[in-house]
Amino acid sequence: MGVSAFGEVANVPIRQVSVNGDFRFLDRARIEKSMLPHLGTGFFMVNLPQIRAELQRMPLVHEVTVRRAWPDRLLVFITEQVPVLRFGADGYLNPYADVFRPDEPLAVPGLPMVDGPPGSEKLLLAAFDSYTEILEPAGVRIASIVLDGKHACRITLTNDTEVLLGRREIDHKVKLLSRLLQTKWAGQRDRLARIDMRYSNGVSVAWRDAPPPVAAR
């Protein structure tokens, strides 16, 4: 009798799916539509790990929890990915330096970009936070940070000034850049086209409205 009763309960079909979460980018209707194949499955027969895996494959889904709710419901709880930086041409970094790539660009105007070799994501996120803090007193903001294959660093500011930092003593160079922007170049920031700080004994500057670079010490 007990086995028979369990069989009857197990075969009670799932009739409803409730999708919960605060969504800025995810399409709730798309998620609900993806759950349609699971409707009609028995209450205890529905495959929760499979549903979780299917939802987790969506590029904008960060975490998923799926539960049964008697007598005929599935409760789906989704945490959406939060983009803090663009990563390369088509990716984004979340606050944990995980890369995700949505099907279409996200509507987040002005989001700074970082790029670098595989495995550099945490380094780039930490560098962006650190350099932003260092440059804040100078009143400038970072548009992008790029590491090449040899981990040479290049920063572009929001006024399109390009800063070449090389591979060594980068933190020291960013602090020097902040001081120069507050003092020597305080009234000329928008004239700076390129600042090359890869030298051991000076800085090379290219101005937007002047011929070849001159050395500044």
Side-chain angles (χ1 to χ4, degrees):
M1 186 70 178
V3 174
S4 175
F6 177 80
E8 292 177 7
V9 171
N11 289 320
V12 171
I14 295 292
R15 294 188 176 91
Q16 303 176 60
V17 176
S18 176
V19 177
N20 303 275
D22 295 325
F23 302 147
R24 181 181 177 187
F25 305 109
L26 277 168
D27 185 343
R28 190 184 301 270
R30 178 187 173 190
I31 297 171
E32 291 172 346
K33 184 178 180 180
S34 73
M35 294 291 98
L36 292 178
H38 300 286
L39 296 182
T41 305
F43 186 79
F44 285 115
M45 305 302 291
V46 66
N47 191 328
L48 300 187
Q50 178 185 338
I51 294 173
R52 189 179 302 112
E54 289 173 359
L55 292 172
Q56 198 76 60
R57 283 196 290 270
M58 291 184 176
L60 288 169
V61 171
H62 179 52
E63 292 181 344
V64 181
T65 302
V66 185
R67 298 173 183 166
R68 300 179 182 87
W70 181 257
D72 60 1
R73 282 199 303 156
L74 286 179
L75 302 180
V76 178
F77 302 88
I78 294 178
T79 303
E80 187 180 58
Q81 290 280 18
V82 177
V84 294
L85 292 170
R86 289 184 295 129
F87 184 75
D90 60 355
Y92 296 84
L93 289 186
N94 68 16
Y96 309 99
D98 299 321
V99 180
F100 63 98
R101 291 184 168 84
D103 297 330
E104 298 178 356
L106 302 180
V108 190
L111 193 66
M113 186 272 288
V114 296
D115 197 8
S120 64
E121 296 86 358
K122 290 185 183 297
L123 175 63
L124 284 163
L125 180 58
F128 182 86
D129 290 343
S130 175
Y131 301 163
T132 295
E133 184 176 353
I134 292 170
L135 292 171
E136 185 176 8
V140 296
R141 299 178 64 187
I142 297 172
S144 69
I145 299 178
V146 176
L147 293 179
D148 67 17
K150 297 181 179 180
H151 277 227
C153 183
R154 181 177 78 251
I155 290 177
T156 302
L157 303 178
T158 52
N159 66 352
D160 291 329
T161 299
E162 185 180 49
V163 185
L164 305 179
L165 294 164
R167 291 181 294 162
R168 297 182 176 87
E169 298 183 314
I170 295 178
D171 287 359
H172 168 74
K173 292 173 182 176
V174 175
K175 291 175 183 176
L176 173 60
L177 173 65
S178 183
R179 290 198 300 273
L180 288 170
L181 290 171
Q182 293 177 71
T183 55
K184 189 178 183 68
W185 301 326
Q188 306 179 76
R189 295 173 189 167
D190 291 338
R191 292 182 56 221
L192 293 162
R194 174 178 287 193
I195 304 168
D196 192 341
M197 307 186 75
R198 293 174 295 178
Y199 305 100
S200 59
N201 60 350
V203 177
S204 175
V205 180
W207 302 93
R208 299 188 196 282
D209 53 359
V214 295
R217 295 180 67 92

